[in-house]
């Protein structure tokens, strides 16, 4: 992986870094992957600034193309991958065909902040962009405007009560027949929303309801917001860590112990 032409490390506090992220989103179309810092080990922010290249994941996108895209430039690649694309099947999910199966991006600059040490690493392909980000970091903090929620119509559910009850009965029948052992019956709610209010909404959620894995991506006609407490998989130094919420073992009351399973990539042995 190539090194960044311009890098700098400084010490900064949460308020200043969040204000920098806010400015980077508004001025450079940044994508933000933040952590509320509630869990040990999940205390890092990564923000891609000024997207340089994008790879849309659709049917026919192969592993070689994804690998080549990831390895083509310095710094991390940020993005999302849908369940349907990851499994290579539609899973019966009805989604807007204009919404991609996944999106990966490389950036002209990246900032990474460590919540424990306060160290902020800024990297850029152009020193002028790096200097502009440093200036934004030093600028007075301006509170983000509240999201535009007043006057919105009531959310429209994808199914009514009778349809939901029927879905529960169908699910139970499928379990009794041995066709499935678990199914998450969900309702999708839609409401007209100004896309310019997406980032302020993200900020509001992040401040009021911290979780380990917050993400914001500007996906063209879409704004993607994730507020998840769950890490499905993590890969680091040749180890794969599985830490989902569903399917984990029970812990004692009041315990903050995490159920973590780790697997060596070159070994089948499991370490708990």
């Amino acid at each position: 992986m190539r090194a960044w032409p311009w890098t700098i490390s400084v010490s900064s506090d949460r308020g200043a870094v969040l204000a920098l992220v806010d400015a980077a989103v508004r001025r450079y179309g940044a994508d933000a992957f933040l952590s509320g810092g509630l869990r040990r080990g999940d205390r890092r922010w990564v923000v891609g600034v000024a997207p340089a290249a994008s790879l849309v994941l659709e049917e026919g996108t192969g592993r070689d193309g994804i690998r080549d895209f990831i390895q083509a430039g310095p710094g991390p690649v940020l993005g999302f991958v849908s369940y349907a694309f990851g499994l290579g099947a539609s899973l019966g999910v009805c989604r807007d065909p204009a919404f991609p199966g996944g999106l990966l991006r490389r950036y002209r600059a990246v900032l990474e902040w460590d919540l424990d040490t306060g160290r902020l690493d800024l990297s850029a392909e152009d020193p002028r962009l790096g200097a502009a980000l440093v200036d934004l970091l030093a600028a007075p903090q301006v509170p983000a405007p509240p999201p535009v929620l007043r006057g919105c119509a009531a959310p429209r559910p994808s199914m009514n009560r009778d349809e939901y009850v029927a879905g529960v009965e169908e699910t139970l029948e499928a379990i009794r027949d041995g066709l499935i052992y678990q199914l998450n019956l969900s309702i999708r709610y839609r409401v007209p929303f100004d896309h310019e209010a997406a980032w302020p909404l993200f900020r509001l959620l992040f401040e009021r309801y911290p979780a380990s894995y917050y993400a914001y991506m500007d996906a063209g006609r879409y704004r993607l917001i994730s507020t998840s407490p769950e890490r499905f998989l993590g890969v680091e130094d040749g180890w794969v860590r599985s830490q989902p919420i569903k399917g984990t073992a029970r812990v004692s009351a009041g315990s903050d112990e995490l159920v973590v399973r780790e697997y060596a990539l070159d070994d089948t042995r499991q370490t708990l």
Side-chain angles (χ1 to χ4, degrees):
M1 182 178 293
R2 302 198 314 269
W4 288 99
W6 182 93
T7 60
I8 189 174
S9 296
V10 297
S11 180
S12 191
D13 58 41
R14 185 182 187 278
V17 177
L18 189 56
L20 171 61
V21 176
D22 182 78
V25 168
R26 298 179 184 280
R27 297 192 184 190
Y28 299 107
D31 297 322
F33 288 70
L34 312 182
S35 172
L38 300 182
R39 293 178 176 176
R40 187 178 59 224
D42 301 330
R43 299 178 57 79
R44 188 168 68 113
W45 294 5
V46 181
V47 179
V49 181
S54 299
L55 176 64
V56 177
L57 306 183
E58 292 290 14
E59 185 177 354
T61 305
R63 293 183 179 180
D64 291 344
I66 295 175
R67 183 185 63 245
D68 293 344
F69 181 83
I70 292 174
Q71 297 177 349
V77 168
L78 307 178
F80 69 90
V81 179
S82 69
Y83 275 107
F85 179 84
L87 296 176
S90 66
L91 301 179
V93 177
C94 296
R95 64 177 178 87
D96 188 333
F99 193 83
L103 176 66
L104 303 178
R105 281 205 181 108
R106 296 199 312 271
Y107 302 87
R108 294 183 174 86
V110 170
L111 66 88
E112 299 182 61
W113 186 58
D114 188 308
L115 278 71
D116 292 317
T117 66
R119 172 174 169 169
L120 174 65
D121 296 323
L122 287 168
S123 305
E125 66 176 21
D126 185 339
R128 291 172 297 181
L129 176 56
L133 294 174
V134 173
D135 289 342
L136 288 175
L137 180 64
Q141 298 179 26
V142 179
V148 183
L149 296 177
R150 295 180 179 177
C152 287
R156 301 191 303 270
S158 60
M159 64 180 79
N160 58 33
R161 177 180 177 82
D162 291 340
E163 291 170 332
Y164 186 82
V165 171
V168 172
E169 293 296 335
E170 184 178 351
T171 298
L172 294 175
E173 187 65 26
I175 293 175
R176 287 190 289 265
D177 291 343
L179 299 176
I180 59 174
Y181 66 90
Q182 177 179 308
L183 185 146
N184 297 322
L185 186 62
S186 302
I187 299 177
R188 171 181 291 180
Y189 289 88
R190 293 178 177 270
V191 62
F193 193 76
D194 184 354
H195 72 276
E196 295 295 336
W199 173 251
L201 174 61
F202 176 92
R203 282 284 310 270
L204 177 69
L205 294 173
F206 184 67
E207 294 288 352
R208 292 189 180 180
Y209 311 104
S212 294
Y213 302 101
Y214 264 74
Y216 173 88
M217 285 198 74
D218 181 345
R221 60 177 291 192
Y222 293 95
R223 302 294 186 274
L224 183 68
I225 295 175
S226 172
T227 63
S228 177
E230 178 179 41
R231 170 169 53 197
F232 182 57
L233 287 176
V235 180
E236 185 176 1
D237 297 330
W239 288 83
V240 177
R241 170 174 291 192
S242 175
Q243 197 178 21
I245 293 174
K246 296 188 177 81
T248 53
R250 183 186 302 274
V251 297
S252 59
S255 172
D256 60 356
E257 176 187 356
L258 297 177
V259 178
V260 179
R261 289 178 171 81
E262 294 183 337
Y263 303 87
L265 291 178
D266 57 354
D267 197 338
T268 58
R269 290 176 299 175
Q270 173 178 304
T271 301
L272 297 180

